Amino acid sequence: MKFNPADKIQDLQYFGEFGGVNPSISDSSTYTFLSAKTMFDTFEGNADGCYLYSRHTSPSNLYLGEALAAMEGTETANVAASGMGAITPVLLQLCEAGDHIVSSRTIYGGTYAFLKNFTPKMNIQTSFVDITKLDVVEAAITEDTKVLYCESVSNPLLEVADIKGLSELAKKHNLKLVVDNTFSPLSISPVKLGADVVVHSLTKFINGSSDTVGGVVCGTQEFIDQLRNVNDGASMLLGSTMDSMRAASVLKNLRTLHIRMKQHSKNAMYLAKKFEADGLKTVYPGLTSHSSHELFKSMMNPEYGYGGMLTIDVGSLEKANELMELMQHKNLGYLAVSLGFYKTLFSAPGSSTSSEIPEEEQAEMGLSDGLIRFSIGLDNNIERTYEIMRECMIEIGVLSKEEVILV
Ligand SMILES: Cc1ncc(COP(=O)(O)O)c(C=O)c1O
């Protein structure tokens, strides 16, 4: 039977300490041992089921990690206090001084800044490439390369990575393929396509209520044990630990992810088709006009759709700002960064989430000034939302009444 991530989450049935339908929240930073010998073994990392100290792991974090590992089809997972708190230890664990990373050039601005400005201080260099061109990716690999890094669907340009193709390259050159799956939870299962490690910012769709930051690394038991190692594990030593209370609340939200993703995707598809028909330059992987539409289709778990993210280009930053302010005024959503919220969020990535990327590089990768990134919400009546959005576009002159594009 085909792998279905939502079934894997559903099949997990946890009981609380007192028979509660939710697992009990662990409210301790440290744990007692009945025998000193067990404490020693736990330090050595070989006493399963015993907890040492909550920066290492906690029962609540393990429940959430287990559910996310089930979702991604990995042996296990380690949750972190933020997406960056998951991504940065992975890269630092896999690379040491002198090593090299080949990364997609269209990735989240924070990850880009980490690879461009921070890791060179440790003599870890990164080549940024067009990830959609496998020959370009392969040409960038050197004998020092240890990691191939990409996002399944990239932020903010919605480029789609050929995970199977990249995984073949990774195997051929003995590299680890690390995939950030934040934009496409459930829709794409990177490990099933050959990725070695999957990371998420839980802050986005997985938590879905924009009330916390969080992250996760999904991988083999061996790799997660390395990250948590008390002597040289990057997760353990850099200390980006999720709080147990948060782990418990994210786990509850994860239980409704499949319903939410279907609605996000349905609404985004509806709007993308309408915007495109209106003549707006629209990018959405569900549109046949998207250069990687067929690739996404070949990789996806179809029932969850093409995700909730789309972009339109309204020609200039001024128009983008005007439109976003008006849409916010009409209660259509919020002018805010981030994604995966129940209300629609919009931002102009060039001046916000991707501002870490220098202007000339933005231009080269097609990140134009007038680009608006939408994270489409869970609106019940998306036809009504569209009508109001269209009125806003007409009001500021991005669309004319006759649906002829003016910019
Ligand atoms: C694709 C992607 N990965 C990682 C991150 C970083 O996650 P966090 O903000 O939870 O640290 C973000 C945040 O916007 C993101 O969009």
Side-chain angles (χ1 to χ4, degrees), residues 87-233:
I87 294 165
T88 54
V90 165
L91 296 170
L92 295 177
Q93 196 72 38
L94 292 173
C95 296
E96 52 190 54
D99 287 345
H100 175 249
I101 295 171
V102 175
S103 168
S104 166
R105 61 185 186 176
T106 57
I107 50 173
Y108 166 60
T111 314
Y112 179 87
F114 179 69
L115 292 174
K116 176 106 177 167
N117 308 326
F118 199 95
T119 49
K121 292 193 273 190
M122 296 155 190
N123 196 19
I124 297 169
Q125 307 297 336
T126 300
S127 300
F128 296 96
V129 296
D130 180 346
I131 205 74
T132 62
K133 299 200 171 81
L134 290 179
D135 53 335
V136 174
V137 176
E138 184 159 33
I141 296 171
T142 72
E143 57 185 30
D144 296 326
T145 310
K146 294 287 170 350
V147 170
L148 273 186
Y149 186 88
C150 68
E151 295 175 0
S152 348
V153 179
S154 79
N155 183 3
L157 292 177
L158 310 181
E159 286 178 352
V160 180
D162 174 358
I163 299 172
K164 266 192 191 149
L166 290 168
S167 123
E168 278 160 25
L169 281 185
K171 288 198 174 66
K172 181 171 160 197
H173 295 275
N174 200 21
L175 318 175
K176 293 286 180 218
L177 175 60
V178 180
V179 178
D180 180 335
N181 200 25
T182 301
F183 273 38
S184 45
L186 302 182
S187 296
I188 294 180
S189 300
V191 167
K192 296 291 161 192
L193 299 164
D196 296 292
V197 179
V198 176
V199 290
H200 280 276
S201 166
L202 301 176
T203 317
K204 315 293 157 52
F205 291 103
I206 290 180
N207 186 55
S209 46
S210 290
D211 55 1
T212 186
V213 285
V216 69
V217 183
C218 302
T220 59
Q221 186 71 51
E222 188 188 1
F223 183 59
I224 300 298
D225 284 348
Q226 283 170 12
L227 283 173
R228 286 202 195 120
N229 189 295
V230 290
N231 292 308
D232 62 1

